Amino acid sequence: MPQDRNTDEVPPETSQSGENTCRRCSGTGVVEDKPCPDCKGTGIVTVLVGDA
Ligand SMILES: [Zn+2]
């Protein structure tokens, strides 16, 4: 099965979701001296976990 959703960001209320270090800013919350748009500067993104 293709794994093309591994970077998907989902709402926190989504089941089977969990927090993960933001890949875009490597958890720093900053990209090019600006707040990371992916994690809103938190360094953490909520993503789907597992596939079961
Ligand atoms: Zn980020």
Side-chain angles (χ1 to χ4, degrees), residues 9-52:
E9 190 172 2
V10 298
E13 63 268 25
T14 303
S15 62
Q16 292 191 332
S17 67
E19 292 186 341
N20 211 339
T21 302
C22 180
R23 296 181 185 181
R24 186 162 185 164
C25 62
S26 299
T28 63
V30 179
V31 174
E32 296 178 353
D33 292 328
K34 296 177 182 176
C36 177
D38 279 13
C39 62
K40 314 296 191 295
T42 62
I44 300 292
V45 290
T46 304
V47 296
L48 289 174
V49 291
D51 207 13

